[in-house]
Amino acid sequence: MSRNKKADIIIPTPEEDAVINAGIADDPDTDELSDEWFANAKSSAEAVPHILERYRRAIAERKSRDDETRRSLTA
């Protein structure tokens, strides 16, 4: 196993990767996604726009609260 120091990601060696892929292939509960599946995939904005909008609203509200806290601490 090698480490990518830039992002601290552990990258498996080719041998480890082969063992991982063999385990995935042997697992009856997994499916390898095909190019066709990816070609037909929808973005989250298309698939669940209401969830994405709620998430964006929550982020905006949190940012607004953080901005208010910073202003009150520096005033």
Side-chain angles (χ1 to χ4, degrees):
M1 216 176 288
S2 64
R3 283 199 177 263
N4 177 336
K5 292 185 189 335
K6 183 176 181 181
D8 201 28
I9 297 172
I10 299 172
I11 300 170
T13 64
E15 295 80 16
E16 291 168 328
D17 204 35
V19 171
I20 292 166
N21 288 327
I24 292 169
D26 288 342
D27 185 345
D29 294 327
T30 63
D31 291 319
E32 184 120 7
L33 301 178
S34 66
D35 290 338
E36 180 184 0
W37 186 93
F38 280 104
N40 292 317
K42 294 180 180 179
S43 70
S44 58
E46 292 176 287
V48 287
H50 58 289
I51 294 173
L52 186 60
E53 181 54 35
R54 232 165 76 193
Y55 170 76
R56 288 179 174 155
R57 218 179 356 227
I59 295 295
E61 288 171 7
R62 185 171 54 207
K63 184 179 181 322
S64 177
R65 282 194 308 269
D66 290 350
D67 289 346
E68 288 175 22
T69 301
R70 274 192 219 99
R71 275 194 294 273
S72 67
L73 290 175
T74 58

